Amino acid sequence: MAEKVTSGDGHGKSEEATANVNVTTAMETLDVIHEISDLLNTGLDRKTLSICVQLCEAGINPEALAFVIQELRREVQQMKKELYVFDRFWAKVYLIPTS
């Protein structure tokens, strides 16, 4: 059974109820952040946004985090281009039709 904790105003609240309110608030906050993210077309999903928020709350500079995300995206794009060229090369070597 949850133990009653009395706040400074004399009203009793269970620790469980307080934890539920905190979780609900965090989820609502993440919903708002995700909506803003979608409006700005960031391409970040809820899980990634949650991680970004946690990193910022832990003291990571948001601008540095944004820079790292942009660099990672550039690297992924470059790797995709290189993989495409590699695939096209080997398709020609083995005479596999490409479109």
Side-chain angles (χ1 to χ4, degrees), residues 68-81:
V68 168
I69 291 169
Q70 290 173 342
E71 284 300 307
L72 288 171
R73 285 183 171 168
R74 283 188 200 105
E75 288 292 322
V76 167
Q77 285 302 109
Q78 184 60 35
M79 290 174 71
K80 285 181 180 179
K81 288 178 187 175

Side-chain angles (χ1 to χ4, degrees), residues 51-94:
I51 292 168
C52 289
V53 168
Q54 290 173 13
L55 288 169
C56 291
E57 287 175 346
I60 299 296
N61 181 324
E63 290 178 11
L65 181 57
F67 178 78
V68 168
I69 291 169
Q70 290 173 342
E71 284 300 307
L72 288 171
R73 285 183 171 168
R74 283 188 200 105
E75 288 292 322
V76 167
Q77 285 302 109
Q78 184 60 35
M79 290 174 71
K80 285 181 180 179
K81 288 178 187 175
E82 291 171 4
L83 184 58
Y84 175 77
V85 170
F86 181 79
D87 286 347
R88 299 279 297 179
F89 170 78
W90 285 107
K92 288 179 183 178
V93 169
Y94 290 106

